[in-house]
Amino acid sequence: MLRLIISGFNGKMGVEAVKMVTECSDFELVGGYAPHGKATDLAVPVFTDLATIPDHFADVWLDLSVPSAVFANAQAALQKGMRPLIGTTGLTPAQITELQALAQAQHLGGLIVPNFSVAAVLMIQLAQQAAQYLPDVEIIEMHNIKKVDAPSGTAKYTANKIKPDGNVPIHSVRLPGLVAHQEILFGGTGEMLTIRHDSFNRESFMPGVKLALQKISTLDQLVIGLENIL
């Protein structure tokens, strides 16, 4: 049974993850972390300070926190012997490189996931194919007004996958009522191809979270993208 601690357990994604983990016999929720969490929030220990979390407290650190905290969280998880499964956006390329080096030094694999939706992964793979024939492309990403980063991590990841050495324009929309939506627009001579993905609720991400947790132990390094375990 895989033992988990969830960082950001009291956020919208965190609440869904707690529900999924506690309903799955393959996983055991052993703790939660949130700087403003309360001991009564979960039926397991709740930590509010990274320093108080014991070494090897869990097998996997599932991070669903906020961009400003994710780097320090992932560092602490690796230093304490826990594999990181990072669903929080906001890591810079330099921070990712540093975390990958730390993971290698700790002999731990892990996964950074820009988007836990399996359909979103397929969207990106289709876009990579389309870009071979339609090089003129732009991205429109749409999220709830409370999303703190723009462009989204998914949009930036998509752009890099389509044109690793190029510049794909990204347009960000933040409006109430939205969850997570992305359009990739390809322009051709007299035609346009649109590849679109919509997540209408955060439950849509849980199959991807479950799959990542089931496969994370097979990884021997810190890699980026859910496609690595599909």
Side-chain angles (χ1 to χ4, degrees):
M1 185 177 291
L2 197 70
R3 299 174 302 125
L4 309 173
I5 182 170
I6 299 179
S7 171
F9 67 88
N10 50 358
K12 290 182 178 179
M13 275 286 287
V15 168
E16 289 292 339
V18 168
K19 179 182 177 182
M20 183 274 291
V21 167
T22 54
E23 291 177 352
C24 183
S25 60
D26 294 337
F27 310 137
E28 180 186 5
L29 181 65
V30 296
Y33 169 72
H36 303 291
K38 298 178 182 178
T40 55
D41 288 339
L42 295 173
V44 293
V46 171
F47 298 92
T48 58
D49 185 344
L50 290 172
T52 63
I53 302 173
D55 290 351
H56 305 286
F57 182 74
D59 301 310
V60 175
W61 174 283
L62 174 56
D63 200 287
L64 301 170
S65 60
V66 294
S68 59
V70 60
F71 179 62
N73 291 352
Q75 273 188 318
L78 285 165
Q79 290 165 350
K80 292 173 182 290
M82 294 179 280
R83 291 174 176 265
L85 175 55
I86 302 170
T88 309
T89 58
L91 289 170
T92 67
Q95 288 174 332
I96 291 173
T97 298
E98 187 172 337
L99 290 175
Q100 287 174 326
L102 179 56
Q104 185 175 11
Q106 295 288 89
H107 305 290
L108 290 170
L111 192 59
I112 299 170
V113 183
N115 195 313
F116 276 112
S117 165
V118 174
V121 174
L122 297 175
M123 168 192 64
I124 296 171
Q125 292 177 339
L126 291 171
Q128 288 178 280
Q129 295 181 43
Q132 299 176 45
Y133 306 97
L134 298 168
D136 296 303
V137 56
E138 300 200 9
I139 297 171
I140 303 173
E141 58 94 352
M142 298 159 279
H143 286 80
N144 189 272
I145 197 168
K146 294 183 179 181
K147 184 171 177 61
V148 295
D149 57 327
S152 70
T154 300
K156 291 189 287 188
Y157 186 67
T158 303
N160 184 64
K161 283 292 186 179
I162 294 173
K163 291 185 178 181
D165 300 319
N167 182 27
V168 178
I170 300 174
H171 310 275
S172 298
V173 177
R174 297 290 178 268
L175 289 172
L178 297 173
V179 177
H181 317 266
Q182 180 167 290
E183 291 184 347
I184 309 169
L185 285 68
F186 296 89
T189 303
E191 62 181 352
M192 185 175 75
L193 171 65
T194 301
I195 302 174
R196 177 176 175 126
H197 172 259
D198 298 276
S199 283
F200 300 110
N201 55 50
R202 288 166 183 83
E203 188 179 357
S204 65
F205 302 114
M206 292 306 109
V209 175
K210 183 177 181 180
L211 181 63
L213 289 170
Q214 290 171 332
K215 296 289 187 70
I216 194 169
S217 297
T218 67
L219 300 172
D220 59 4
Q221 56 186 316
L222 180 60
V223 297
I224 305 171
L226 192 65
E227 63 271 17
N228 287 283
I229 50 92
L230 288 179

